[in-house]
Amino acid sequence: MLKTFSLGGVHPAENKISAGKKIEVLPTPAQVSVPISQHIGAPSTPVVKKGDSVKVGQLIAKSSGFVSANIHSPVSGTVFKIDNVLDASGYKRPAIIIKVDGDDEWDESIDRSPELKKDIDLSPEEIIKKVGEAGIVGLGGATFPSHVKLSVPPGKKCDVLILNGVECEPYLTSDHQLMMEKGEEIMVGAKILMKALKVDKCIIGIENNKPDAIEHMNKLAQEYEGITVQPLKVQYPQGGEKQLIDACIGRQVPSGKLPIEVGAVVQNVGTTFAVYEAVQKNKPLFERVVTVTGKSVKSPGNFLARVGTPINDLIEAAGGLPEDTGKIIGGGPMMGKALVSTDVPVTKGSSGVLIMPDEMAHRKQAQPCIRCSKCVSVCPMGLSPYLLMTLSEKGIWDRTEEEQVMDCIECGSCSFTCPSNRPLLDYIRLGKGTVGQIIRSRNK
Amino acid sequence: MSTLIISPSPHVHSGDSVKKNMYGVIIALLPALAASLWVFGLGALVVTVTAVAASVLFEYLIEKYLLKVPSTISDGSAVITGLLLAFNLPSNLPVWIIIIGALVAIGIGKMSFGGLGNNPFNPALVGRVFLLISFPVQMTSWPKPMANVGTYLDATTGATPLSIIKEGLKNGEKLTDLLKEIPSFADMFLGKMGGSAGEVAAIALLIGLVYMLVRKIITWHIPFAVLGTIAVFTGLLNLSNPEEYAGPVFHLLTGGAMLGAIFMATDYVTSPMTPKGQIIFGVGIGVITVLIRVFGAYPEGMSFAILIMNAFVPLIDRYVKPKRFGEKVK
Ligand code: SF4
Ligand code: SF4
């Protein structure tokens, strides 16, 4: 039997309509808005000002702390202004707006040759530094700065690197396609990460609905010592770090702890490719593969887009916004965010743009809980969603905390499953937010 | 395109609904309904139609005129209550008593607590136990199986296997002799014995169980815990003294064991939320049922056992937590 994680999980309709579509390079837009907060942690500090001319790959905002990330210009052109723009979460946040000139002039230090570079010259410390400089964050959507994950805290030991090639979100195919087209680079990237972490084992977890990727990566892995491919049963949310570790090596990260507690570090395959480019080609992270998809989209596909590109450009490239559009989601349908406008820019964390027809975009009327216990049985963290919802609704925060609301990974399996269409996760998020504040103020 | 819809994730839903689950249960009850018509004929038909119609009607009337809330009769739960109530009644029960039973089940058992999802006790059992206490004679006269297919009120009656054994033992008869008076296990399995309309045919109820398990309407925990406990407990008693205590097969096939374990104890609303809690709940029902059957005053104890354990559900849910992720030590 195929491996998977041990608790809960659901199997939403996969709808991978853009699978197998070759990565298309999206033309550079006329103007980009590059948010200075594209990652978890402190917003970066702009190092350019209005009127500065910039090249592709030039640093435009620098990391403002350990948990923060550098940001590089995705285009060549002139800084138009630094202003608040709508981001994926619907808030207006500062962004560096650059008017693009026609030349697409890259920083000279970037190696633009397509040749695969296998030999890793840098030392572990240099690798981590390079990853930090290149502004690499988790590209699976979590956007946690990668150099932080690679810096194993004193006293802890990492013995395995796990690559996340699961792509468990329905519809999304960017990681899948990347593995098919840049598999070799991902292998070298894995080797680089293994060197940085000083481990000799790397497991690439890929769900069974991508047999071509499993086969391809498996074949490539023969040439790279220590790297193996682990086929996994299709089960959402297998891409969650804790679930993936459990699925691949059967270790469960305890409540409130990080993967390093059980000796594992997880990186997404897209991130691994970015690490390859940064370390071997000196290319910082300023573009990524984004899936543009949806039932009514004319030509769904996978596009290589520069950060800061308005998603409107992506939608146009995929055949334009369908008539019946009701909702546009940044990311996948389970964890993605509904976007307020098509002007929202692509960021490092944008894995997909999902366009939902109006008829699919509405929630059904919630009904009373019939205590069917299905939410409990699908929760991958072993929580009681129905109870967390009730407690959060009533504001009984001490019991909300006692019921381990902070362990919720916001995967949405509970709301997805509930036959009464109850907005379980909405309330659980509220509870998580409030309890989180209570805990922080208590620890002050 | 007008304005974009903004709502938090998840943006998709399984498509599961209350209706789907409820109608699934109704489908699962159909084999038992067919069996009851086969064994008890006209009487079973009258009892079932009356109980279902009355339950749905009372829910409709109470919601419309008393509570003044939108009607929920289409969700199927009132039909289930009606079916389960009917299945727990003798097939020669007068219509007016059935109507009282439905009124108590829906009015007191369900609506007085706020409707589906809020009732602590299984509504059909509330109705049934009310009738048992109020109309003990009518509620314990059982039409003979197969012999009354064309009759209703004037059906010829006889004792159920459980009461034959209970009374016989009380009168000092030997178990081995008593077992000869009751139908064979094969007949019991098919439902050819005295009892409530829908409880007799183990085979039909088991088909319903398989259906519900396959459709993932319920999980195995409660039915297996109940039936397993009854089997083990009566098995031990039987081993300790075969002259006095009937064995597990007898206890599993008679009375409301199957109906209770498969359809009554598994009621979503009135059973615990975690697998562990459900097993505790099921074991409790099994133990109490056997205690009542073997040592208590009534020949059958399934209804009481379920109602008693219903009362413990809030306590079980308060203290029995699901298995949390990360508890497993590596
Ligand atoms: S969103 Fe949270 S509570 Fe709901 S299933 Fe996922 S982890 Fe469990
Ligand atoms: S899935 Fe919905 S109806 Fe079922 S127990 Fe959870 S909240 Fe209640």
Side-chain angles (χ1 to χ4, degrees):
Chain A
M1 235 197 24
L2 278 172
K3 284 189 174 182
T4 187
F5 52 97
S6 31
L7 288 184
V10 291
H11 188 177
E14 294 167 24
N15 287 314
K16 304 271 192 186
I17 23 191
S18 52
K21 292 278 167 63
K22 286 258 171 339
I23 298 172
E24 263 176 66
V25 180
L26 195 75
T28 39
Q31 178 175 311
V32 292
S33 314
V34 185
I36 60 166
S37 185
Q38 303 183 31
H39 45 263
I40 289 187
S44 322
T45 319
V47 294
V48 289
K49 56 180 191 315
K50 188 177 167 161
D52 285 0
S53 64
V54 291
K55 288 185 191 164
V56 179
Q58 181 183 330
L59 186 74
I60 53 173
K62 69 174 201 308
S63 160
S64 62
F66 182 55
V67 183
S68 182
N70 284 343
I71 294 172
H72 302 80
S73 179
V75 290
S76 67
T78 319
V79 178
F80 174 56
K81 58 179 175 180
I82 299 176
D83 198 3
N84 291 333
V85 300
L86 273 178
D87 70 2
S89 50
Y91 292 105
K92 287 210 162 195
R93 296 225 177 91
I96 301 169
I97 300 166
I98 303 169
K99 286 226 188 270
V100 181
D101 62 29
D103 308 343
D104 201 36
E105 193 185 330
W106 287 44
D107 195 289
E108 297 76 33
S109 62
I110 302 172
D111 172 3
R112 294 181 72 181
S113 67
E115 279 84 55
L116 183 78
K117 183 164 176 263
K118 274 192 175 182
D119 298 325
I120 305 161
D121 307 326
L122 302 192
S123 71
E125 293 69 30
E126 286 167 336
I127 292 170
I128 296 173
K129 191 156 161 269
K130 192 88 215 168
V131 168
E133 281 169 3
I136 297 175
V137 301
L139 296 191
T143 66
F144 190 78
S146 301
H147 64 278
V148 182
K149 266 198 196 171
L150 294 177
S151 314
V152 178
K156 302 271 188 277
K157 213 188 128 18
C158 177
D159 62 11
V160 58
L161 166 70
I162 296 176
L163 290 199
N164 186 349
V166 165
E167 204 159 49
C168 62
E169 273 276 9
Y171 290 95
L172 301 189
T173 56
S174 52
D175 286 348
H176 181 184
Q177 197 53 35
L178 196 69
M179 286 191 279
M180 295 309 292
E181 294 184 29
K182 303 286 179 192
E184 233 8 294
E185 285 83 352
I186 293 172
M187 289 293 160
V188 179
K191 275 296 199 191
I192 297 171
L193 292 170
M194 288 162 74
K195 188 168 178 189
L197 289 163
K198 306 188 177 86
V199 299
D200 48 23
K201 218 168 103 189
C202 168
I203 301 170
I204 309 177
I206 306 175
E207 280 187 351
N208 208 26
N209 56 357
K210 298 178 264 295
D212 52 346
I214 293 175
E215 203 201 304
H216 180 59
M217 296 300 271
N218 214 350
K219 212 183 298 149
L220 293 176
Q222 309 307 322
E223 306 289 313
Y224 294 85
E225 209 194 318
I227 304 181
T228 51
V229 173
Q230 176 65 60
L232 299 167
K233 188 179 155 200
V234 181
Q235 185 90 320
Y236 178 88
Q238 195 139 240
E241 274 196 338
K242 291 188 171 187
Q243 280 64 39
L244 184 62
I245 297 169
D246 185 23
C248 287
I249 57 173
R251 299 181 197 161
Q252 290 193 356
V253 180
S255 167
K257 294 286 193 314
L258 294 171
I260 194 66
E261 197 69 21
V262 296
V265 166
V266 180
Q267 296 284 2
N268 166 274
V269 288
T271 316
T272 310
F273 176 65
V275 166
Y276 165 81
E277 292 201 309
V279 174
Q280 305 297 76
K281 302 277 180 178
N282 201 34
K283 181 184 162 200
L285 178 61
F286 56 77
E287 56 183 2
R288 66 157 300 149
V289 183
V290 186
T291 300
V292 185
T293 181
K295 288 253 156 90
S296 311
V297 173
K298 251 194 231 108
S299 30
N302 305 297
F303 300 91
L304 182 68
R306 304 279 171 94
V307 166
T309 307
I311 59 155
N312 199 29
D313 287 23
L314 280 167
I315 296 171
E316 286 308 320
L321 197 65
E323 273 298 294
D324 61 356
T325 300
K327 202 191 249 182
I328 303 179
I329 297 160
M334 292 300 287
M335 292 185 80
K337 286 206 166 77
L339 304 178
V340 290
S341 127
T342 53
D343 299 333
V344 167
V346 170
T347 60
K348 295 175 184 176
S350 310
S351 47
V353 175
L354 167 59
I355 299 165
M356 265 196 175
D358 192 64
E359 55 179 36
M360 293 171 66
H362 298 267
R363 286 188 173 187
K364 290 226 181 67
Q365 177 76 38
Q367 287 172 340
C369 172
I370 55 166
R371 294 180 44 85
C372 69
S373 83
K374 294 189 183 193
C375 55
V376 180
S377 56
V378 299
C379 178
M381 297 308 293
L383 307 177
S384 300
Y386 77 97
L387 181 60
L388 289 173
M389 169 167 172
T390 311
L391 294 171
S392 302
E393 213 175 358
K394 294 188 178 151
I396 309 174
W397 306 123
D398 52 337
R399 283 214 49 215
T400 313
E401 183 179 355
E402 200 183 294
E403 292 291 337
Q404 295 179 236
V405 72
M406 298 311 287
D407 279 358
C408 169
I409 58 169
E410 303 186 30
C411 67
S413 300
C414 48
S415 302
F416 171 82
T417 299
C418 178
S420 285
N421 289 289
R422 295 179 69 70
L424 292 154
L425 180 53
D426 296 7
Y427 281 93
I428 295 172
R429 269 198 204 100
L430 169 78
K432 223 181 135 179
T434 314
V435 169
Q437 270 169 20
I438 293 172
I439 294 174
R440 276 192 296 278
S441 63
R442 191 167 60 214
N443 292 344
K444 256 191 198 137
Chain B
M1 182 200 66
S2 45
T3 41
L4 292 172
I5 298 166
I6 304 298
S7 60
S9 64
H11 305 284
V12 280
H13 188 265
S14 60
D16 197 5
S17 68
V18 175
K19 260 192 200 171
K20 275 191 190 163
N21 285 285
M22 295 299 167
Y23 286 103
V25 175
I26 293 171
I27 292 171
L29 282 165
L30 294 180
L33 178 62
S36 82
L37 295 177
W38 178 58
V39 177
F40 298 112
L42 184 63
L45 184 67
V46 175
V47 172
T48 309
V49 170
T50 312
V52 171
S55 297
V56 174
L57 187 69
F58 283 130
E59 181 157 310
Y60 176 77
L61 294 176
I62 291 171
E63 285 178 331
K64 177 142 195 193
Y65 296 105
L66 282 180
L67 304 175
K68 304 200 190 325
V69 293
S71 174
T72 55
I73 54 169
S74 67
D75 70 17
S77 68
V79 176
I80 296 180
T81 301
L83 280 173
L84 289 178
L85 177 65
F87 283 13
N88 275 287
L89 301 175
S91 57
N92 60 348
L93 200 65
V95 166
W96 62 275
I97 298 187
I98 304 170
I99 293 177
I100 294 176
L103 179 62
V104 173
I106 295 288
I108 299 178
K110 185 174 176 189
M111 288 305 162
S112 72
F113 293 102
L116 182 66
N118 300 304
N119 48 301
F121 299 103
N122 186 314
L125 285 180
V126 172
R128 192 228 167 190
V129 167
F130 176 85
L131 294 183
L132 186 64
I133 295 166
S134 314
F135 307 98
V137 178
Q138 290 92 329
M139 283 293 287
T140 51
S141 91
W142 314 96
K144 287 194 176 139
M146 311 313 288
N148 293 291
V149 177
T151 57
Y152 166 43
L153 288 176
D154 43 4
T156 51
T157 60
T160 67
L162 276 172
S163 51
I164 292 171
I165 302 279
K166 187 107 189 173
E167 289 306 310
L169 287 172
K170 221 193 286 173
N171 299 334
E173 291 175 56
K174 274 230 211 84
L175 185 66
T176 34
D177 298 335
L178 290 169
L179 284 175
K180 284 179 203 133
E181 290 175 36
I182 62 170
S184 70
F185 284 161
D187 277 352
M188 287 206 230
F189 188 65
L190 293 174
K192 295 189 201 169
M193 62 174 163
S196 297
E199 72 182 14
V200 287
I203 176 157
L205 296 162
L206 288 170
I207 292 171
L209 172 64
V210 171
Y211 177 77
M212 290 198 291
L213 289 176
V214 170
R215 285 233 3 228
K216 298 206 166 100
I217 294 169
I218 59 166
T219 57
W220 57 270
H221 303 84
I222 294 176
F224 282 78
V226 175
L227 298 174
T229 305
I230 293 177
V232 170
F233 195 179
T234 56
L236 290 175
L237 288 171
N238 181 250
L239 280 181
S240 74
N241 188 349
E243 288 299 297
E244 202 173 328
Y245 302 114
V249 181
F250 172 82
H251 278 284
L252 289 177
L253 293 180
T254 52
M258 290 285 171
L259 179 63
I262 296 169
F263 287 102
M264 317 288 286
T266 53
D267 171 30
Y268 285 156
V269 182
T270 56
S271 60
M273 298 291 261
T274 58
K276 231 187 295 169
Q278 290 168 353
I279 288 176
I280 296 173
F281 176 77
V283 170
I285 291 171
V287 169
I288 298 170
T289 301
V290 176
L291 287 177
I292 295 176
R293 280 186 180 186
V294 177
F295 305 106
Y298 286 92
E300 172 58 312
M302 199 69 194
S303 303
F304 293 109
I306 295 174
L307 288 173
I308 291 170
M309 288 312 291
N310 282 165
F312 281 101
V313 167
L315 197 70
I316 294 174
D317 279 339
R318 178 74 176 82
Y319 291 103
V320 182
K321 298 293 166 201
K323 189 156 105 223
R324 309 286 197 204
F325 185 93
E327 270 177 4
K328 188 181 98 177
V329 255
K330 57 161 174 165

